[in-house]
Amino acid sequence: MRRFFVGFFAVIGIVAFIGLLGVIGVAVAVVRTSSTKALPDSIVLTADLTGGLSDGPDPDAMSRLFFDEKTTLRDFVDALDRAADDPRVKALYVELGDDSLGLAKTQQVRDTIAAFRAKGKFVVAFADTFGEGGPGTRPYYLATACDEIWLQPLGQVGLTGLRSETPFLRGLFDKLGITPDFEHREEFKTAMNSLTETAMTGPQREEVEALLSSISGQIDRGIAEARKLTPENVASAVDRAPLSSDEAQALGLVSNVGYRDQAMNEARDRAGSGARSMTLSRYLSAAGRPHTSGSEIALIYGTGLITRGGSTAGALAGTNDFGARAISRAFAAASRDKDVRAIIFRIDSPGGSAIASETIWRDVVQAQRRGKPVVVSMGDVAASGGYYVAAPADKIVAEPATLTGSIGVLAGKIVVGGLMQKLGITTDAAERGANAGMFSATQDFSPQGRERLNAMLDDTYAGFKNHVIAGRHMSADAVEAIAKGRVWSGEDAKEKGLVDALGGYETALALARSEAKLPEDAPVEIVVYPRERGLMAALLDRLRGEDDEPNSASAFQRGLTALRMLVAAAEVTFDDAGVLHMPPIGDIR
């Protein structure tokens, strides 16, 4: 009887909680609806990019209910795409300064602003500083896409160039008695060099120097063209930086020295009398996204580390993994949908599991066999496993600064037997099978174990290259020449035949239209797969642990996620609407 009453009241509690969420959802909808009433006749759009732009799916229903919505890269692109043809929108005010956007995303945003300006719109950028005691090259490069650049007095232009720095731990490991033991294919597959070496190897330095040369050339050319300077002027400024606000203005790097309110007033003045400011997210909610009718183009995101499980994303999960099971479901759904004419596969990933990469590779191939052409759009990084899953696509698009390639493989282990011995810790084991201890962290590889490890690497490396040969229609010799684990910039990758075109979402969409045999100006509807579930469905699935494949998360993890939601519900307010892994190039700043 006691169990009955416990269960009875538990059911009542759950029903009451769901009802409370329903009330909250309705209230939030009312608040948002009231904030998206008719748009004013003259608008200055505002965008704060100091916190960056995520490159992934929109937050799920639960995240949007309990957390502030963060503008995504697609939000930015869609909002300016819509606003470019909206006569009510006169100008854009964008706030910059923090070094929060990767170089490829920076180039996508620059191109989007350029397209917006090409429709006769005016853009003002403001920064209190481009780097304060740190690099400011990337945010300044982005600012040069705008008509005017305002910099606060005492602000700096940290246009100090690019640097890639990698820490090496081998010296520490030697002192501790730790032995990192890895094999790789081939010499440019240097993801574990920070553990196995004390400095860059020759191939690693060659790779990094080439990337820096390619990307710094892109930045210097972009700045010179935008600010109407010579490349020599830019190179001289880089060598003098960081520059004070007055120095930067004298060199023509900034338009005006002033404060935030002055920059905003300039944007309003340029828009004309009566202009009102409005955030990009609010404008997008009111005006609606572009590409909402016509032939259907599916959009599938693959962001983060490639894993064998289901993807997790959003504020509640706290992570963003590129899960093979989740991607498989998305491709299966898009492939089965008779209305889908083509698929855009957005990849931003340094790689991960070889097994998961193979699974996703086949998903792409299967979609093509079902008559759905696939166009890959690369973000900041699409390398190693990220390139593996892109290789079979009908077309591949990258930004000039995208890091891609890294066609190679590595595997091994860190042996801590020496450290344990120093600490007086001993182990003992019993085993059956010659290679049962092959991956033990307490002992080195045996000769037979190392032979099997190398055989596995050879097989994976050969499979990777064969996929590239077939997908890119290249000879084995041509692929081998650009493989060996080497990372390329998108600009260089196009020259090598690894990508088809340079650009972002717009370029990928144009190629998707072409592959689907649609006219260039054909209206299309972009639909994200997997399709979003409603709030109640998402809540129930999370509580039941059914938001992913069976066993993809432990009961503890599911319980923790449910607990996060309960805590968030209590705090909600209405105040504000593996082995295929890219080498660590170092954050190029």
Side-chain angles (χ1 to χ4, degrees):
M1 181 64 67
R2 179 183 178 186
R3 182 176 299 174
F4 169 79
F5 281 112
V6 170
F8 176 75
F9 285 114
V11 169
I12 291 177
I14 291 174
V15 171
F17 178 64
I18 292 175
L20 174 62
L21 286 178
V23 172
I24 292 173
V26 170
V28 171
V30 169
V31 171
R32 287 180 178 167
T33 300
S34 66
S35 68
T36 57
K37 56 187 178 182
L39 291 168
D41 294 331
S42 183
I43 301 171
V44 175
L45 293 179
T46 64
D48 184 350
L49 300 186
T50 56
L53 297 168
S54 61
D55 192 356
D58 294 334
D60 61 21
M62 294 302 302
S63 297
R64 287 198 303 273
L65 177 61
F66 296 126
F67 299 91
D68 289 338
E69 292 185 55
K70 183 175 181 180
T71 302
T72 67
L73 180 61
R74 186 182 168 220
D75 290 337
F76 185 89
V77 172
D78 281 357
L80 288 197
D81 186 5
R82 173 67 76 191
D85 293 317
D86 188 339
R88 294 168 297 191
V89 176
K90 311 299 183 182
L92 169 69
Y93 166 88
V94 58
E95 198 153 319
L96 303 168
D98 291 347
D99 196 22
S100 55
L101 278 177
L103 282 165
K105 287 192 184 75
T106 294
Q107 290 176 334
Q108 168 72 87
V109 173
R110 288 181 95 251
D111 290 345
T112 303
I113 290 174
F116 179 76
R117 290 176 58 195
K119 294 295 182 72
K121 315 292 184 173
F122 189 78
V123 184
V124 173
F126 170 80
D128 53 5
T129 186
F130 292 106
E132 182 179 21
T137 297
R138 294 191 297 196
Y140 176 74
Y141 174 47
L142 174 52
T144 60
C146 305
D147 292 280
E148 290 189 5
I149 302 175
W150 285 67
L151 180 62
Q152 183 170 293
L154 296 185
Q156 299 176 353
V157 174
L159 184 63
T160 53
L162 300 179
R163 176 182 175 88
S164 173
E165 184 173 6
T166 303
F168 293 90
L169 303 180
R170 183 57 189 264
L172 173 63
F173 284 176
D174 287 345
K175 291 179 180 180
L176 295 176
I178 297 173
T179 304
D181 192 352
F182 291 87
E183 300 286 349
H184 53 84
R185 301 292 183 276
E186 293 283 349
E187 64 265 29
F188 291 99
K189 198 69 175 180
T190 57
M192 293 301 165
N193 277 20
S194 60
L195 306 181
T196 62
E197 308 295 332
T198 58
M200 290 186 189
T201 61
Q204 184 177 9
R205 180 166 292 280
E206 177 186 344
E207 175 182 61
V208 172
E209 293 281 2
L211 286 170
L212 289 175
S213 294
S214 175
I215 295 172
S216 64
Q218 297 167 27
I219 292 174
D220 291 350
R221 291 192 300 271
I223 292 173
E225 181 180 356
R227 299 303 300 171
K228 296 179 173 54
L229 302 170
T230 67
E232 292 75 21
N233 292 149
V234 176
S236 176
V238 168
D239 289 339
R240 285 182 59 187
L243 302 165
S244 70
S245 55
D246 290 336
E247 288 175 324
Q249 186 176 26
L251 292 172
L253 296 176
V254 301
S255 312
N256 299 280
V257 175
Y259 294 93
R260 179 180 287 104
D261 60 305
Q262 293 174 307
M264 186 64 186
N265 287 337
E266 172 68 11
R268 289 198 183 102
D269 290 344
R270 293 295 296 263
S273 172
R276 293 175 53 189
S277 60
M278 177 177 288
T279 64
L280 279 184
S281 58
R282 186 180 170 198
Y283 171 77
L284 191 60
S285 296
R289 291 186 184 275
H291 311 307
T292 56
S293 64
S295 300
E296 189 170 310
I297 303 291
L299 174 60
I300 298 174
Y301 289 99
T303 59
L305 190 67
I306 299 177
T307 64
R308 289 164 50 213
S311 299
T312 56
L316 294 174
T319 58
N320 196 10
D321 293 332
F322 189 161
R325 292 195 189 107
I327 297 297
S328 293
R329 290 198 300 271
F331 268 96
S335 297
R336 287 194 300 265
D337 191 331
K338 60 181 177 58
D339 294 326
V340 170
R341 299 292 300 274
I343 299 171
I344 295 176
F345 189 14
R346 176 70 177 182
I347 300 174
D348 197 345
S349 170
S353 164
I355 300 301
S357 298
E358 176 70 11
T359 299
I360 298 166
W361 171 87
R362 186 172 183 274
D363 292 328
V364 176
V365 173
Q366 287 289 87
Q368 292 168 317
R369 289 173 179 168
R370 291 168 180 158
K372 313 293 185 183
V374 178
V375 174
V376 163
S377 171
M378 293 180 168
D380 286 326
V381 180
S384 200
Y387 190 80
Y388 193 108
V389 301
D394 295 272
K395 296 293 181 183
I396 300 177
V397 180
E399 293 287 357
T402 296
L403 300 183
T404 189
S406 192
I407 301 167
V409 59
L410 62 87
K413 61 183 179 180
I414 296 178
V415 181
V416 297
L419 174 62
M420 295 174 66
Q421 185 177 10
K422 288 184 177 184
L423 296 175
I425 301 172
T426 60
T427 62
D428 200 359
E431 58 188 50
R432 297 292 184 274
N435 296 318
M438 179 174 169
F439 294 107
S440 169
T442 63
Q443 64 186 39
D444 296 333
F445 286 108
S446 67
Q448 181 172 333
R450 189 173 299 280
E451 183 276 328
R452 294 312 306 153
L453 176 67
N454 281 308
M456 289 162 45
L457 290 177
D458 288 338
D459 184 58
T460 304
Y461 185 42
F464 195 164
K465 290 188 293 183
N466 286 337
H467 285 336
V468 177
I469 290 168
R472 302 303 302 163
H473 309 291
M474 300 170 70
S475 69
D477 289 343
V479 170
E480 180 63 28
I482 56 178
K484 302 178 183 179
R486 180 158 183 167
V487 179
W488 304 95
S489 70
E491 183 178 58
D492 290 341
K494 184 176 183 297
E495 291 183 5
K496 304 295 182 183
L498 291 174
V499 305
D500 298 290
L502 298 179
Y505 278 109
E506 300 87 350
T507 304
L509 181 57
L511 288 174
R513 277 194 182 99
S514 175
E515 292 298 314
K517 296 181 172 50
L518 296 171
E520 290 183 8
D521 57 351
V524 296
E525 178 183 5
I526 297 177
V527 180
V528 177
Y529 281 78
R531 291 176 181 268
E532 181 185 291
R533 289 165 297 178
L535 174 62
M536 291 300 106
L539 172 67
L540 291 173
D541 285 350
R542 292 283 178 90
L543 291 173
R544 292 186 307 218
E546 295 178 0
D547 58 322
D548 209 335
E549 291 289 331
N551 302 320
S552 65
S554 67
F556 173 78
Q557 289 171 319
R558 294 195 297 267
L560 184 60
T561 298
L563 179 60
R564 285 174 180 163
M565 289 194 295
L566 291 171
V567 172
E571 297 178 346
V572 69
T573 68
F574 300 109
D575 292 339
D576 296 302
V579 291
L580 294 181
H581 204 284
M582 188 189 81
I585 301 302
D587 193 7
I588 298 178
R589 293 178 178 270

